[in-house]
Amino acid sequence: MPVVRLDHETDFDGWRAAARSLRQQGVEPQHVVWTVDGATDLFSPAPPRADEGSAPSGVSEPAPPPASLSPPGEGGFRVPKPFVDLAGQVIRHRSDERFDLLYRLLWRLQETPELMHLLSDADISRAGHFARDVSRAVHKMKAFVRFRLVQDADGEAYVAWFEPAHRVTEATAPFFMKRFANMRFSILTPDVCVHWDLNTLAATPGADPADAPREDALEDYWKTYYASTFNPARLKVAVMRKEMPKRYWRNLPEAALIPDLIAQAEARTSDMVRAAPTEPSRRVVKAAVRNSRDAPWDGQAPTSLEEIAAGVDHCRRCDLWRDATRGVPGEGPRRAKLMFVGEQPGDREDLAGLPFVGPAGQVFDRALAAAGVPRAETWVTNAVKHFKHELAGKRRIHKTPNAGEVAACRWWLDAERRIVRPRVIVALGATAGLAVFGKPTPVATSRGEAFQLPDQARGVVTWHPAFLLRLPDEKARTQAYDAFVEDLKFAWRLVA
Ligand code: URA
């Protein structure tokens, strides 16, 4: 039985070379044992890579110490790039099954070249799960590494202790290097430590939590900042737990604040609803009113997001304001590179004055997290800024805005586009498609593509999150949700 010894837990090159060699020699997946050489690690000299035990009867022995493995690209078979990308992710998963699973897929790809597209296949689905776990771990690492200030012989440096769910430290280190290019730092983890000295990124063996400092003077600032940016009206405990799983809490200074903030959220939300909205300045209101109530189409365009927010609330360009509580402006950073456009605020958004905070917003948040897209870095808005509905008893039932209402409200959307200047605009659903592209854009046939827009942005259309909620069939719902997540990832890649 061939035993392949890989150099270390994420030895992708070793796995790839051994797998290629074994495949060429016709060694079936069930006859290979994959191990990681326990006596060595990433930082020791490379051990021999493959050796053999006794072969089961009928199975020929491979002849593979590593020196004899074929170099990449030779050997008469090719695998599709999506498989190589998938394998590069899966190898970072902590499951011991991963090498086996990947070799089985490699083996099967030769007989079934379309295998990568068979999403219901058990091996493909498992590998997909592993890859998603790994990309979630990358996302969590980017979000939850907390540096602490230390002094060493060269001055100030920052050290973080982190326990990633999967072996993603080295893959994620370049992200920190780019973000903190001017800061000397080390990220210590049980698997491997990475260090940036302003010139090079280096790796050393895994560390112990005791090696990392526990507290520093910056911590209080960070806790104060976290508590002040915590918006109780947006609290969704289940989503929050999912986003910030408890396994990360022990290393997060702000985690100590969470139980109290959750406990106080309800009372704080009621206070916020009762409190009068913050008044925009007189200049902003004047400009807004000029642009909305009285101005014709060629009125003076708003020049700031504040003007838009105030203007939306005063807008009389169509009749929807009559039955709505307020106009709901977009939300996000002024220079967001990615803009999402929904249809119109729903019941909850109309009350809260914020886009996508109700049930559709929860699906949206979950899908964004799954796709690794930080909502806080995006501009989220709607094609129509007032809630269109009809009454059924005491309930306000959503009604789709018509083309005239969408056209009237483009004044505001166009202004948001001019000011935010996103690189990519994602239309969520057909109404948003009409607003963003200026013509009917059927989702089913247009999704998955990027279209050039006149303002230099690229436009993408995908499902509306509420559409996913409405699908009656579980399977169709899961498929549409997965497709939605893929579309979000696609848009995020376009931004990059
Ligand atoms: N649906 C939308 O299109 N937008 C929202 O803000 C909420 C629900």
Side-chain angles (χ1 to χ4, degrees):
M1 158 107 37
V3 177
V4 180
R5 289 181 197 287
L6 297 172
D7 286 357
H8 53 86
E9 296 284 359
T10 52
D11 182 7
F12 185 51
D13 291 343
W15 175 86
R16 201 169 159 174
R20 180 179 289 114
S21 168
L22 291 164
R23 184 65 187 90
Q24 282 165 355
Q25 293 165 74
V27 182
E28 293 181 16
Q30 68 272 28
H31 297 141
V32 185
V33 175
W34 297 90
T35 65
V36 174
D37 199 319
T40 61
D41 60 28
L42 185 50
F43 310 97
S44 310
R49 215 172 249 150
D51 61 29
E52 290 131 49
S54 57
S57 54
V59 177
S60 59
E61 290 284 349
S68 71
L69 299 177
S70 320
E74 292 183 6
F77 75 91
R78 293 200 158 274
V79 289
K81 183 165 180 309
F83 171 74
V84 180
D85 294 344
L86 179 74
Q89 287 274 89
V90 168
I91 207 116
R92 301 188 180 281
H93 200 277
R94 289 204 190 270
S95 166
D96 292 338
E97 220 190 294
R98 64 197 187 285
F99 302 125
D100 242 356
L101 171 65
L102 289 177
Y103 184 53
R104 203 159 58 241
L105 280 173
L106 178 79
W107 178 275
R108 293 182 55 210
L109 266 170
Q110 285 221 273
E111 275 127 41
T112 317
E114 73 284 9
L115 184 59
M116 293 301 290
H117 299 291
L118 305 181
L119 300 185
S120 56
D121 178 272
D123 286 339
I124 288 287
S125 148
R126 187 128 186 90
H129 262 106
F130 282 6
R132 278 193 291 280
D133 288 348
V134 167
S135 86
R136 204 170 301 124
V138 168
H139 179 56
K140 298 294 178 217
M141 181 160 183
K142 289 179 183 173
F144 296 149
V145 161
R146 296 284 180 269
F147 288 102
R148 292 181 165 93
L149 182 61
V150 295
Q151 294 287 338
D152 65 13
D154 297 322
E156 286 187 346
Y158 291 81
V159 180
W161 170 255
F162 189 69
E163 295 168 46
H166 297 283
R167 298 184 178 93
V168 296
T169 305
E170 286 166 292
T172 317
F175 163 85
F176 290 101
M177 185 189 76
K178 280 192 208 122
R179 177 163 285 191
F180 302 117
N182 297 325
M183 176 175 128
R184 282 192 310 126
F185 69 78
S186 294
I187 304 175
L188 315 182
T189 84
D191 309 309
V192 59
C193 302
V194 287
H195 312 271
W196 170 244
D197 65 0
L198 309 185
N199 287 311
T200 26
L201 196 59
T204 56
D208 189 87
D211 298 333
R214 299 301 298 175
E215 281 191 3
D216 75 359
L218 299 181
E219 209 129 283
D220 283 344
Y221 288 113
W222 169 244
K223 283 188 194 163
T224 308
Y225 169 76
Y226 182 80
S228 68
T229 56
F230 181 90
N231 182 346
R234 306 209 45 173
L235 174 66
K236 293 167 211 136
V237 176
V239 174
M240 183 168 165
R241 289 227 166 90
K242 190 154 178 256
E243 266 295 273
M244 196 194 270
K246 279 208 157 165
R247 67 186 310 281
Y248 297 105
W249 285 27
R250 63 175 173 275
N251 295 313
L252 290 174
E254 70 271 29
L257 304 173
I258 293 173
D260 270 1
L261 289 171
I262 290 177
Q264 295 158 11
E266 206 171 314
R268 282 184 60 198
T269 307
S270 317
D271 288 350
M272 279 168 68
V273 171
R274 271 197 304 272
T278 320
E279 288 292 325
S281 72
R282 284 186 36 209
R283 184 190 64 76
V284 164
V285 171
K286 238 171 101 188
V289 170
R290 190 175 59 238
N291 287 330
S292 52
R293 190 177 302 152
D294 310 322
W297 276 105
D298 57 356
Q300 216 177 327
T303 52
S304 72
L305 293 172
E306 292 74 24
E307 262 180 47
I308 295 178
V312 156
D313 203 25
H314 286 84
C315 184
R316 305 292 183 262
R317 288 179 180 276
C318 75
D319 274 345
L320 294 184
W321 64 274
R322 291 181 193 282
D323 296 325
T325 313
R326 55 170 64 83
V328 178
E331 182 195 35
R334 175 159 187 269
R335 282 283 177 246
K337 297 196 173 83
L338 180 59
M339 177 181 279
F340 288 105
V341 182
E343 183 193 275
Q344 61 162 350
D347 181 69
R348 300 275 285 279
E349 289 77 14
D350 170 82
L351 295 173
L354 295 164
F356 281 105
V357 290
Q362 290 181 22
V363 177
F364 183 46
D365 283 348
R366 187 152 58 88
L368 285 173
V373 181
R375 175 168 169 163
E377 291 178 25
T378 68
W379 183 261
V380 179
T381 190
N382 282 299
V384 169
K385 308 291 198 258
H386 281 103
F387 177 33
K388 180 174 182 182
H389 58 275
E390 62 193 359
L391 285 177
K394 285 191 175 163
R395 293 185 59 215
R396 302 191 299 170
I397 308 294
H398 158 277
K399 273 185 87 178
T400 306
N402 62 36
E405 288 150 355
V406 172
C409 222
R410 270 192 78 175
W411 168 262
W412 301 114
L413 180 62
D414 287 350
E416 286 173 298
R417 284 167 67 167
R418 269 196 313 275
I419 293 169
V420 178
R421 288 203 273 132
R423 281 190 201 161
V424 178
I425 304 179
V426 180
L428 303 167
T431 305
L434 178 62
V436 170
F437 297 101
K439 59 179 186 196
T441 311
V443 179
T445 49
S446 313
R447 53 170 291 275
E449 259 186 87
F451 301 94
Q452 194 61 50
L453 292 163
D455 55 3
Q456 302 305 316
R458 306 236 266 158
V460 172
V461 62
T462 184
W463 305 117
H464 189 286
F467 164 76
L468 309 176
L469 282 172
R470 284 199 298 268
L471 286 171
D473 170 52
E474 169 78 36
K475 195 165 156 228
R477 214 164 38 236
T478 309
Q479 273 176 356
Y481 176 79
D482 289 347
F484 182 55
V485 171
E486 284 311 312
D487 289 346
L488 299 183
K489 286 188 191 163
F490 172 61
W492 192 235
R493 279 199 303 274
L494 283 177
V495 168

